[in-house]
Amino acid sequence: MKKAFFASKGQIELKDVDQPTIQKPDDVIIKVLRSCVCGSDLWNFRGINPVEAEAENSGHEALGVVEEVGADITTVQPGDFVIAPFTHGCGHCPACRAGFDGSCQSHSDNFSSGVQAEYIRFQHGQWALVKVPGQPADYSEGMKKSLLTLADVMATGYHAARVANVSAGDTVVVMGDGAVGLCAIIAAKMRGAKRIISTSRHADRQALAKEFGATDNVAVRGDEAVQAIMDLTNGGADAVLECVGTEQSTNTALAVGRPGAIIGRVGLPHTPKQDMTALFYKNAIVAGGPASVTTYDKEVLLKAILDGEINPGKVFTKSFSLDEIQAAYEAMDQRQAIKSYLVFD
């Protein structure tokens, strides 16, 4: 089968490798139908996170059909259409029961990688996999795109809104105009936010943010952005959703909430140190981490997509075959695509 690997900085290559096999009783082998490139994959592609040559790709979002199951798997069977979340919670540890399966206490190996491949071995599949009703042929391509967002970005955007306790009538600032930030706008609207301020400098992303529910946009950065947002909100937002992870985005997020605001962080942090003094005097709350993908999919998001209430698949603005994986990465790296969609069949 074909599988993508990091060859070097800025270079992805396909290799022919053996198909994965069942290694543990709770493994599931999945034939991948759709995958994608994540903004977090670009940290490696750009060389910001150094990776060794021939390293497994960090891709972690997949939609597919179950091929084979381990002896302990009873919740899915061969032929089932499934979403493969990037986190693999157990469903029964204290973290999972509290709705934080992204930080599962039972599984130390609870994050996907290497799913830009024709087949994947999904570990701990008993609870973590999300079964989709029917078969792939029952769904339009647009619906498949939305279903694929439930492997990561829609659930991650929802996590930012949930841990920030976005509630009816709130004013919310969303830092980041990538797929997660755009999905966070959807989530804030789902949870009843009255005013949602996006932070995009790109016309196509601003337009999609508005379509998803943003009421305002601030395109400037740094101190100028902080002042603009504080002016718009008359002293600060009720909640801030940080969906980037860079130092500038994080610093802005921490600065633009009102006293008592909650900052929901889902951008992978790239700030080694953070001065919490100012937050102390503002009574600000900082929360967040890996998304509770399976919990949100099963409880809220899958139904919202199937019922046509949300359409997060619009974040996929360019499609590629697996053979075009290099172009898929380059399109996102050069901001020619908001999110690159990989079609396998």
Side-chain angles (χ1 to χ4, degrees), residues 219-248:
V220 292
R221 293 291 183 266
D223 292 342
E224 193 176 357
V226 172
Q227 187 61 56
I229 293 170
M230 296 302 278
D231 290 344
L232 270 176
T233 58
N234 193 30
D238 301 302
V240 185
L241 314 185
E242 200 292 306
C243 304
V244 184
T246 61
E247 183 173 12
Q248 183 181 71

Side-chain angles (χ1 to χ4, degrees), residues 2-341:
K2 294 178 181 178
K3 182 175 181 176
F5 290 84
F6 285 112
S8 60
K9 176 183 175 181
Q11 292 294 319
I12 303 292
E13 66 178 10
L14 287 182
K15 288 186 174 183
D16 285 320
V17 299
D18 293 337
Q19 288 188 22
T21 58
I22 298 292
Q23 297 180 29
K24 295 182 178 180
D26 61 351
D27 284 349
V28 177
I29 305 301
I30 299 171
K31 176 181 172 65
V32 178
L33 301 180
R34 301 291 184 272
S35 187
C36 54
V37 180
C38 183
S40 63
D41 297 336
L42 298 181
W43 294 103
N44 294 345
F45 185 74
R46 291 167 174 165
I48 299 170
N49 287 344
V51 295
E52 296 180 2
E54 313 304 321
E56 183 173 81
N57 74 78
S58 56
H60 48 268
E61 301 153 275
L63 188 67
V65 173
V66 173
E67 185 86 357
E68 186 181 358
V69 299
D72 289 349
I73 300 295
T74 62
T75 53
V76 297
Q77 61 185 1
D80 282 348
F81 186 28
V82 293
I83 298 158
F86 83 95
T87 54
H88 302 213
C90 69
H92 56 74
C93 70
C96 287
R97 291 200 308 272
F100 290 94
D101 46 284
S103 299
C104 177
Q105 293 166 284
S106 297
H107 302 150
S108 58
D109 51 349
N110 69 322
F111 295 101
S112 289
S113 65
V115 310
Q116 291 158 0
E118 292 180 310
Y119 291 85
I120 61 172
R121 170 183 166 238
F122 189 92
Q123 301 180 70
H124 315 304
Q126 174 70 0
W127 182 82
L129 282 172
V130 179
K131 187 175 175 179
V132 181
Q135 289 297 307
D138 300 331
Y139 296 92
S140 67
E141 200 61 51
M143 183 64 84
K144 288 173 185 171
K145 289 178 178 179
S146 284
L147 292 171
L148 179 57
T149 68
L150 298 190
D152 179 354
V153 292
M154 185 61 234
T156 296
Y158 193 87
H159 190 58
R162 177 226 169 173
V163 298
N165 196 31
V166 173
S167 303
D170 278 356
T171 293
V172 178
V173 175
V174 178
M175 302 302 304
D177 65 356
V180 172
L182 291 165
C183 288
I185 291 170
I186 295 175
K189 185 176 181 181
M190 289 177 74
R191 293 177 64 90
K194 183 177 180 180
R195 192 174 194 185
I196 304 171
I197 301 169
S198 59
T199 53
S200 179
R201 293 182 290 183
H202 303 273
D204 58 338
R205 297 170 189 238
Q206 288 181 30
L208 193 53
K210 184 176 181 180
E211 181 180 343
F212 283 168
T215 56
D216 305 89
N217 185 76
V218 171
V220 292
R221 293 291 183 266
D223 292 342
E224 193 176 357
V226 172
Q227 187 61 56
I229 293 170
M230 296 302 278
D231 290 344
L232 270 176
T233 58
N234 193 30
D238 301 302
V240 185
L241 314 185
E242 200 292 306
C243 304
V244 184
T246 61
E247 183 173 12
Q248 183 181 71
S249 177
T250 301
N251 287 341
T252 301
L254 297 178
V256 298
R258 59 159 170 78
I262 306 177
I263 298 94
R265 298 182 67 182
V266 295
L268 187 64
H270 281 73
T271 305
K273 295 181 180 180
Q274 199 75 57
D275 184 356
M276 306 296 282
T277 306
L279 296 176
F280 175 84
Y281 287 106
K282 286 178 67 175
N283 274 286
I285 301 165
V286 179
S292 308
V293 182
T294 301
T295 290
Y296 301 146
D297 286 358
K298 290 180 177 180
E299 293 185 355
V300 180
L301 298 176
L302 179 58
K303 184 177 187 301
I305 285 174
L306 295 178
D307 289 349
E309 295 175 6
I310 60 174
N311 188 8
K314 289 187 176 183
V315 299
F316 292 111
T317 54
K318 284 197 172 185
S319 297
F320 302 86
S321 68
L322 184 58
D323 289 335
E324 298 170 317
I325 187 73
Q326 176 71 25
Y329 270 80
E330 290 175 354
M332 285 186 64
D333 181 44
Q334 298 165 15
R335 287 189 174 268
Q336 297 170 355
I338 296 175
K339 192 166 177 68
S340 293
Y341 185 63

